[in-house]
Amino acid sequence: MPLPPAHQRLHAALERLRQFIQQQPDGACRQPRFDTQLFRCKGTRLADYLREVEQSVAQLTAGDGDNTRQQWLAGKVVDQIAALQRECQSQQLRVARERPRHQPNQQKREEYQGYETRLVAMLQQREHALARAETLSVQQQLIREVEQLQARLARCRAALYKLDLLPLAP
């Protein structure tokens, strides 16, 4: 059975909102983003609020037969979607202390992964140069550099491993 046009528009709006939120940096804020009358959710991430909207839409489309409740829920869903859209569009306008905080472990992980990538490239370059080296002194120098790079790469990978073991900050 096809959905009525209103339900189709609601699901389309919800899908656009979902895609828009996925494109946003969705870190935790210091306090909830919305009033408790609009959202029951106490989370501080946009995805938390999106889940609540999806649950409300599911209740609305299931329909329990009570028209007054359905109308109230439909109005609430429209208000929730509008609030989330405004919040997404105003992210860049927030002052730095009000912007979402990103996971510090994620930032460190990306930094370490960048180091790892560069170290691997340097190691491959030195190994390639070692294979082409003709004199003993150049070979010895390149062997020392390869060993140093391997040690640095091992430390970098150990740091990445430790980060993965640490629990993410709430």
Side-chain angles (χ1 to χ4, degrees), residues 81 112 124 163:
I81 289 174
Y112 290 170
Q124 289 173 344
L163 266 180

Side-chain angles (χ1 to χ4, degrees), residues 23-25 86-96 99-100:
Q23 296 170 359
Q24 297 290 318
R86 282 191 307 273
E87 180 67 18
C88 287
Q89 292 169 350
S90 67
Q91 289 295 323
Q92 307 310 330
L93 301 177
R94 289 181 175 272
V95 292
R99 287 196 182 129

Side-chain angles (χ1 to χ4, degrees), residues 75-121:
K76 184 173 181 177
V77 165
V78 168
D79 291 343
Q80 287 176 330
I81 289 174
L84 272 174
Q85 287 172 335
R86 282 191 307 273
E87 180 67 18
C88 287
Q89 292 169 350
S90 67
Q91 289 295 323
Q92 307 310 330
L93 301 177
R94 289 181 175 272
V95 292
R97 72 180 186 285
E98 292 178 4
R99 287 196 182 129
R101 292 176 304 189
H102 299 285
Q103 297 292 345
N105 290 356
Q106 181 62 28
Q107 185 176 359
K108 276 288 191 196
R109 183 175 295 105
E110 290 171 2
E111 181 181 351
Y112 290 170
Q113 286 171 340
Y115 294 154
E116 180 185 32
T117 302
R118 289 191 296 275
L119 285 169
V120 167

Side-chain angles (χ1 to χ4, degrees), residues 31-169:
Q31 54 191 343
R33 297 178 190 227
F34 300 103
D35 188 79
T36 54
Q37 289 183 339
L38 186 58
F39 287 96
R40 290 185 314 254
C41 177
K42 301 259 190 294
T44 59
R45 298 179 188 284
L46 294 173
D48 299 335
Y49 296 104
L50 179 64
R51 270 192 296 281
E52 184 175 330
V53 173
E54 289 171 340
Q55 291 169 353
S56 298
V57 168
Q59 289 176 354
L60 186 63
T61 55
D64 61 3
D66 183 9
N67 281 342
T68 306
R69 171 134 173 81
Q70 292 292 86
Q71 288 175 349
W72 175 84
L73 190 55
K76 184 173 181 177
V77 165
V78 168
D79 291 343
Q80 287 176 330
I81 289 174
L84 272 174
Q85 287 172 335
R86 282 191 307 273
E87 180 67 18
C88 287
Q89 292 169 350
S90 67
Q91 289 295 323
Q92 307 310 330
L93 301 177
R94 289 181 175 272
V95 292
R97 72 180 186 285
E98 292 178 4
R99 287 196 182 129
R101 292 176 304 189
H102 299 285
Q103 297 292 345
N105 290 356
Q106 181 62 28
Q107 185 176 359
K108 276 288 191 196
R109 183 175 295 105
E110 290 171 2
E111 181 181 351
Y112 290 170
Q113 286 171 340
Y115 294 154
E116 180 185 32
T117 302
R118 289 191 296 275
L119 285 169
V120 167
M122 290 169 59
L123 187 60
Q124 289 173 344
Q125 177 192 17
R126 295 303 192 291
E127 288 173 342
H128 185 67
L130 179 60
R132 291 181 294 136
E134 295 179 5
T135 64
L136 181 63
S137 62
V138 171
Q139 288 176 347
Q140 289 173 337
Q141 175 64 29
L142 287 171
I143 288 173
R144 280 193 296 275
E145 289 179 19
V146 165
E147 289 171 349
Q148 289 171 349
L149 286 171
Q150 287 173 337
R152 289 175 61 192
L153 183 59
R155 288 192 302 272
C156 181
R157 287 182 174 158
L160 274 168
Y161 181 74
K162 276 172 101 174
L163 266 180
D164 287 336
L165 291 180
L166 292 176
L168 294 177

